[in-house]
């Protein structure tokens, strides 16, 4: 079907080879402007005259009316001219005579690539240079032809655009990887290592709609354009490009448009360098997909190692995934070299800065420190290689110190907790910080050392209620397995809750009052609510009647009552009850230990420095996201979830849903890695050497080594 232009005096149509555009039927405001443009020459044309076959040819539009992205694709040969779309707000504005709308010249199928390139450029400029009485005048009319660098004449009066764009043939250097959907062989506009006088001729005109006349292009020439890094480029976007599509960009010479040779001259990890040489005109250039840091370090190679380490991923799994995908990446040995020399010093430096800031803020607070401390083993059982001791300040909910103790530094792995606490207390003393309250579990070595070393200095030592309640619940489960004591299983939740109430209802932490409240449970469970202890003479609850009673009282003298009394009045348990923490607990510390599993899973063994760096990463993540608010819905109500944890044995718990975690600390680490390496890689290596010298020797080296050949022969 032939579509004709509806403008008066214009006989262009698809039959004559012109492009035509339909009226914007969906946008009524723009549609009225199109109709008004036609009514200038056709007074009877109205909104009702517009049909799906009503068209206006491209001669009535200006260059800025077309999508610049489509124009750019046409200039690169990735789209046909007929596929260039108008922008949504385009309105026809040029009234022309028929003579101003010439049909495009038919092209031969066997013309050269250079001629096709020139004709493609001419098709992006407007053909109309004749002015009518009601058309806008052009102050600086373009010449009808211009001499290209090859010496041929290029027609600059094609169809559909208002004017040509004058640019320098030497384009700006681009040194980043790009994603492409190229379907024909072409080339990206990159700097040529050598430049002739003809290439600098400002009279040479090609079509490049993305060029802005005010922009100044670089005239610097380098044989191998390695670019130094910029601190603000570390977060630049990166795309995955297939090799075939990438090499297709270098198959056509950007100077003479003839086919040329290209090859990969250097490749290492994510880095690739390509040389392009044209045999026809002698054009030559080098292109690389990323900048070089300092002297010879590809930026993405180093940043990839940093990204793997700073996010807590396992290098072997991450790099195996990339290899399976076919993505060119660094090797595992390269990652570990980067980790040892560069990323570990960056993490330790970031932690020291964060720790110094936190300690400075705590020093300004009154009342001394209120910290919770506990140890975490890197593996279950009593054969742990590492024990990490952590301290969290309960009032600000920040990790203030993390100590890593290797089992070879102490008599055995059970001594790691005490050694870690000693190192943390030594750090606080060097910082002139007073420890007023310490909350821990019931580790007997720790309790003895704190009682002898810290309590004389005014430190209050409390036990976490959850740890005491956990052991109490286990004792009740064991006792309830007896057929005569099965009633204790019904009382188990109430007994554990009473332990929590004993601590929470005594905010001053009076040991005598807490012991009296705990002992009252023996009478209460036998329906006796008056006690003979002055500190707690009667139960605090009102009379229990009706629905408040869901369990039977234990009979005095029954096996269940006797067994329960022996558990409740056990000497070691009574001593622990006297030290229950009334206000602060270690649940935040347990949450931190769960977070460490992401950065340092227990199923993987790590060298000492790597293990320490992963612990510090977990601490940085926790401090960066410690005080997140509860997430809210659009109406402002808080979000909660219901969980059924295994230890609850079918019972549910309600937990608030926090806002999403932030990883700004990892971005800061990437920035610090790039800046520090750019300034001085040797400085990072010196820090790494000092850290390695201070780290304990591997456990295997503490034993006498047998020659490998002898071990194999004995095997």
């Amino acid at each position: 079907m032939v579509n004709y232009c509806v403008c008066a005096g214009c006989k262009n149509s698809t039959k004559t080879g012109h492009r035509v555009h339909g009226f914007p039927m969906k946008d009524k405001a723009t549609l009225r402007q199109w109709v008004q443009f036609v009514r200038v020459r056709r007074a009877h044309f109205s909104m009702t005259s517009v049909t799906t076959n009503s068209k206006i040819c491209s001669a009535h539009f200006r260059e800025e009316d077309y999508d610049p992205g489509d124009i750019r694709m046409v200039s690169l040969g990735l789209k046909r001219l007929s596929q260039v779309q108008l922008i949504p707000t385009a309105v026809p504005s040029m009234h022309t005579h028929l003579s101003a709308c010439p049909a495009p010249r038919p092209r031969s199928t066997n013309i050269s690539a250079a001629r096709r390139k020139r004709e493609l450029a001419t098709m992006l400029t407007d053909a109309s240079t004749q002015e009518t009485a009601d058309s806008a005048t052009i102050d600086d009319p373009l010449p009808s032809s211009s001499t290209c660098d090859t010496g041929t004449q290029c027609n600059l009066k094609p169809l559909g655009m208002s004017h040509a764009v004058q640019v320098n043939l030497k384009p700006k250097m681009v040194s980043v990887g790009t994603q492409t959907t190229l379907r024909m062989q072409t080339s990206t506009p990159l700097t040529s290592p050598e430049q002739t006088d003809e290439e600098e001729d400002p009279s040479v005109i090609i079509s490049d709609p993305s060029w802005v006349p005010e922009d100044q292009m670089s005239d610097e020439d380098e044989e191998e354009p390695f670019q130094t890094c910029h601190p603000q480029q570390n977060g630049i976007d990166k795309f995955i490009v297939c090799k075939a599509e990438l090499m297709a960009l270098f198959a056509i010479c950007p100077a003479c448009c003839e086919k040329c040779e290209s090859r990969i001259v250097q490749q290492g990890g994510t880095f690739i360098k390509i040389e392009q040489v044209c045999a026809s005109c002698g054009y030559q250039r080098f292109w690389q997909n990323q900048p070089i840091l300092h002297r010879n370090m590809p930026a993405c190679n180093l940043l990839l190692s940093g990204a793997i380490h700073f996010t807590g991923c396992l290098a072997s799994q991450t790099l195996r995934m990339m290899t399976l995908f076919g993505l060119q990446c660094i090797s595992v040995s390269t990652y570990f070299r980067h980790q040892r020399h560069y990323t570990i010093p960056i993490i330790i430096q970031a932690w020291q800065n964060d720790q110094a800031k936190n300690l400075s803020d705590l020093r300004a607070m009154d009342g001394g420190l209120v910290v919770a401390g506990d140890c975490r083993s890197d593996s279950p059982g009593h054969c742990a290689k590492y024990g990490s001791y952590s301290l969290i300040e309960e009032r600000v909910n920040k990790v203030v110190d993390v100590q890593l103790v290797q089992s070879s530094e102490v008599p055995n792995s059970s001594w790691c907790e005490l050694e870690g606490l000693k190192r943390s207390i030594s750090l606080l003393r060097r910082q002139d910080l007073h420890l007023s309250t310490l909350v821990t579990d019931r580790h007997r070595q720790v309790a003895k050392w704190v009682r002898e070393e810290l309590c004389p200095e005014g430190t209050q030592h409390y036990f976490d209620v959850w740890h005491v309640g956990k052991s109490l619940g286990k004792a009740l489960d064991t006792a309830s397995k007896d057929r005569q004591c099965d009633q204790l299983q019904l009382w188990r939740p109430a007994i554990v809750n009473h332990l929590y109430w004993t601590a929470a209802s005594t905010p001053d932490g009076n040991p005598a009052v807490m012991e009296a409240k705990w002992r009252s449970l023996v009478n209460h469970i036998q329906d006796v609510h008056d006690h003979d202890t002055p500190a707690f003479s009667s139960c605090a609850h009102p009379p229990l009647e009706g629905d408040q009673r869901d369990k039977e009282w234990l009979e005095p003298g029954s096996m269940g009552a006797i067994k329960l009394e022996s558990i409740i009045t056990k000497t070691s348990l009574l001593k622990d009850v006297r030290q229950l923490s009334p206000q602060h607990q270690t649940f935040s510390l347990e949450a931190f230990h769960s977070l460490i599993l992401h950065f340092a899973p227990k199923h993987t063994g790590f060298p000492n420095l790597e293990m320490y760096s992963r612990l510090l990463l977990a601490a940085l993540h926790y401090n960066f996201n410690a005080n997140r608010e509860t997430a809210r819905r659009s109406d402002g109500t808080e979000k909660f979830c219901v969980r059924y944890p295994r230890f609850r044995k079918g019972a549910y718990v309600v937990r608030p849903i926090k806002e999403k975690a932030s990883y700004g600390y990892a971005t800061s680490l990437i920035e610090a890695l790039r800046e520090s390496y750019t300034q001085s890689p040797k400085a990072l290596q010196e820090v790494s050497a000092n850290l390695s010298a201070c780290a304990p020797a591997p456990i295997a080296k503490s034993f006498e080594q047998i020659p490998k050949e002898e071990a194999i022969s004995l095997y």
Side-chain angles (χ1 to χ4, degrees):
M1 181 177 180
V2 180
N3 292 317
Y4 293 91
C5 180
V6 299
C7 296
C10 182
K11 298 182 179 180
N12 296 335
S13 65
T14 55
K15 185 176 182 180
T16 60
H18 292 82
R19 289 180 297 150
V20 293
H21 305 288
F23 282 68
M25 307 299 293
K26 296 182 179 180
D27 189 350
K28 298 301 181 183
T30 307
L31 177 61
R32 294 191 190 94
Q33 298 182 44
W34 283 48
V35 173
Q36 187 64 29
F37 171 80
V38 177
R39 292 187 63 180
V40 173
R41 296 290 184 86
R42 295 178 59 181
H44 299 289
F45 194 84
S46 63
M47 296 280 289
T48 57
S49 305
V50 179
T51 65
T52 56
N53 296 327
S54 301
K55 308 290 181 179
I56 297 181
C57 71
S58 58
H60 304 284
F61 293 92
R62 300 183 182 275
E63 179 187 1
E64 53 268 21
D65 295 330
Y66 289 89
D67 189 333
D70 290 348
I71 297 177
R72 180 62 176 170
M73 297 292 283
V74 171
S75 66
L76 296 176
L78 304 180
K79 277 189 176 182
R80 297 189 300 273
L81 187 63
S82 60
Q83 295 177 322
V84 178
Q85 301 292 327
L86 294 171
I87 61 177
T89 57
V91 177
S93 58
M94 300 180 63
H95 288 283
T96 60
H97 293 299
L98 179 60
S99 59
C101 305
R105 296 180 301 171
R107 294 186 296 175
S108 175
T109 57
N110 58 352
I111 59 177
S112 64
R115 183 176 177 182
R116 288 199 303 269
K117 185 73 174 182
R118 291 192 298 270
E119 291 189 358
L120 184 62
T122 61
M123 293 174 68
L124 290 171
T125 55
D126 195 329
S128 96
T129 56
Q130 302 181 10
E131 297 179 343
T132 59
D134 54 351
S135 64
T137 60
I138 302 178
D139 295 334
D140 299 321
L142 294 173
S144 59
S145 63
S146 177
T147 304
C148 298
D149 56 347
T150 58
T152 58
Q153 294 292 323
C154 299
N155 185 10
L156 293 178
K157 301 199 305 180
L159 170 69
M161 300 297 171
S162 60
H163 60 278
V165 182
Q166 177 176 337
V167 299
N168 194 316
L169 274 180
K170 178 187 175 184
K172 186 179 295 186
M173 175 66 182
V174 179
S175 184
V176 296
T178 55
Q179 174 69 43
T180 176
T181 56
L182 185 63
R183 290 295 178 269
M184 62 174 293
Q185 292 184 339
T186 182
S187 174
T188 53
L190 301 175
T191 306
S192 171
E194 298 181 0
Q195 188 177 41
T196 62
D197 295 338
E198 293 180 354
E199 290 177 336
E200 294 186 355
D201 187 2
S203 63
V204 178
I205 301 174
I206 65 173
S207 178
D208 188 359
S210 64
W211 179 77
V212 181
E214 291 80 5
D215 290 348
Q216 299 296 328
M217 291 193 176
S218 173
D219 292 329
E220 298 180 1
D221 295 330
E222 295 180 2
E223 182 178 358
E224 296 185 6
F226 285 104
Q227 294 194 1
T228 58
C229 69
H230 191 278
Q232 301 299 327
Q233 293 180 347
N234 62 316
I236 193 169
D237 292 337
K238 304 167 184 65
F239 300 90
I240 297 176
V241 182
C242 295
K243 180 180 177 180
E245 302 296 325
L246 178 62
M247 298 304 295
L249 298 175
F250 301 92
I252 300 298
C253 176
C256 65
C257 300
E258 296 291 344
K259 289 185 178 181
C260 60
E261 298 293 332
S262 59
R263 65 187 182 95
I264 299 175
V265 296
Q266 185 178 353
Q267 183 176 358
T270 63
F271 177 80
I272 184 174
K273 182 179 178 182
I274 300 175
E275 180 187 16
Q276 184 180 16
V277 179
C278 180
S280 300
C281 65
Y283 181 87
Q284 181 182 11
R285 64 172 172 178
F286 292 89
W287 178 89
Q288 62 191 34
N289 66 333
Q290 57 189 273
I292 299 298
L293 300 180
H294 199 258
R295 293 180 180 177
N296 57 357
M297 173 65 76
C300 292
N301 285 358
L302 180 64
L303 297 182
L304 177 59
S305 298
I308 294 174
H309 194 182
F310 299 154
T311 55
C313 298
L314 298 180
S316 57
Q317 294 180 355
T318 304
L319 297 177
R320 190 184 310 123
M321 178 272 296
M322 293 182 178
T323 303
L324 180 62
F325 180 63
L327 185 64
Q328 300 301 308
C329 58
I330 59 178
S331 62
V332 176
S333 59
T334 299
Y335 165 80
F336 284 120
R337 185 174 68 253
H338 291 170
Q339 174 186 262
R340 181 174 64 256
H341 289 160
Y342 310 121
T343 61
I344 288 179
I346 290 296
I347 294 172
I348 294 179
Q349 182 63 43
W351 165 251
Q352 291 174 350
N353 295 337
D354 183 75
Q355 185 183 43
K357 180 181 180 301
N358 292 333
L359 295 179
S360 177
D361 296 340
L362 293 174
R363 194 177 293 109
M365 299 177 64
D366 299 331
L369 300 183
V370 179
V371 300
D374 196 7
C375 184
R376 173 190 177 273
S377 298
D378 71 318
S379 62
H382 299 279
C383 57
K385 180 180 179 181
Y386 301 114
S388 57
Y389 200 87
S390 309
L391 289 182
I392 287 185
E393 221 292 334
E394 290 294 325
R395 293 172 298 176
V396 297
N397 194 22
K398 292 291 183 67
V399 179
V400 296
D401 189 38
V402 176
Q403 296 291 338
L404 179 64
V405 182
Q406 189 168 290
S407 59
S408 60
E409 301 179 85
V410 290
N412 54 62
S413 59
S414 63
W415 287 70
C416 291
E417 184 164 358
L418 178 58
E419 179 63 23
L421 176 61
K422 290 180 179 179
R423 295 180 183 181
S424 295
I425 296 301
S426 177
L427 172 67
L428 297 180
R429 286 174 175 173
R430 291 196 302 268
Q431 297 293 331
D432 297 328
L433 291 169
H434 172 63
L435 185 61
S436 63
T437 302
L438 176 63
V439 183
T440 65
D441 57 6
R442 298 184 299 166
H443 196 282
R444 298 308 177 188
Q445 287 179 314
V446 170
K448 181 178 182 294
W449 185 83
V450 172
R451 184 170 61 252
E452 295 176 353
E453 299 292 335
L454 299 183
C455 289
E457 299 177 0
T459 301
Q460 294 288 335
H461 185 207
Y462 294 110
F463 292 148
D464 176 64
V465 180
W466 180 81
H467 286 87
V468 180
K470 182 180 180 181
S471 62
L472 175 62
K474 290 181 178 180
L476 293 174
D477 290 338
T478 303
S480 64
K481 292 180 181 179
D482 191 341
R483 184 177 300 176
Q484 297 178 343
C485 303
D486 56 355
Q487 289 181 319
L488 295 181
Q489 189 63 33
L490 297 176
W491 282 94
R492 183 187 185 280
I495 294 173
V496 176
N497 287 341
H498 183 77
L499 181 70
Y500 280 88
W501 175 84
T502 298
S505 62
T506 314
D508 58 350
N510 191 317
V513 175
M514 286 195 293
E515 182 180 355
K517 290 180 178 179
W518 176 245
R519 282 180 176 272
S520 69
L521 182 61
V522 177
N523 294 333
H524 172 84
I525 207 168
Q526 301 179 52
D527 199 16
V528 178
H529 307 290
D530 294 326
H531 319 294
D532 55 359
T533 54
F536 191 70
S537 58
S538 62
C539 293
H541 61 78
L544 301 177
E545 298 177 355
D547 296 339
Q548 297 178 344
R549 291 294 308 120
D550 57 353
K551 296 180 290 293
E552 294 183 1
W553 301 111
L554 297 183
E555 293 293 335
S558 63
M559 183 59 68
I562 295 173
K563 190 67 174 179
L564 178 61
E565 184 176 0
S566 64
I567 296 175
I568 291 177
T569 59
K570 189 177 180 179
T571 304
S572 59
L573 180 58
L574 292 177
K575 289 182 178 179
D576 295 338
V577 170
R578 294 174 65 90
Q579 284 188 254
L580 290 179
S581 177
Q583 297 180 3
H584 305 286
Q585 309 299 329
T586 63
F587 63 87
S588 57
L589 196 58
E590 298 298 331
F592 172 61
H593 286 173
S594 298
L595 175 66
I596 294 178
L597 290 174
H598 169 75
F599 294 92
K602 290 189 176 184
H603 61 71
T604 304
F606 300 98
N608 188 278
L609 284 179
E610 184 178 359
M611 182 69 180
Y612 184 55
S613 66
R614 288 176 175 270
L615 292 174
L616 298 186
L617 279 173
L620 289 172
H621 180 91
Y622 186 90
N623 289 349
F624 201 81
N625 298 277
N627 298 314
R628 286 180 293 157
E629 299 292 337
T630 303
R632 295 180 179 274
R633 298 183 178 85
S634 57
D635 58 356
T637 58
E638 295 181 343
K639 293 183 179 180
F640 293 91
C641 64
V642 179
R643 295 288 182 266
Y644 297 86
R646 180 176 57 85
F647 68 90
R648 286 280 185 169
K649 297 181 179 180
Y652 69 90
V653 293
V654 178
R655 296 175 182 172
I657 299 177
K658 299 294 184 179
E659 295 177 345
K660 290 185 178 180
S662 175
Y663 297 89
Y665 69 93
T667 304
S668 301
L669 290 174
I670 285 288
E671 294 176 359
L673 174 62
R674 180 162 189 154
E675 293 176 0
S676 299
Y677 186 91
T678 303
Q679 294 174 1
S680 177
K682 291 185 177 180
L684 291 176
Q685 295 177 6
E686 292 176 359
V687 174
S688 175
N690 295 334
L691 293 173
S692 300
C694 298
I699 296 179
K701 292 186 177 181
S702 61
F703 303 99
E704 183 180 357
Q705 302 292 313
I706 184 174
K708 181 178 179 181
E709 293 77 8
E710 181 181 353
I712 295 175
S713 62
L714 293 175
Y715 173 76

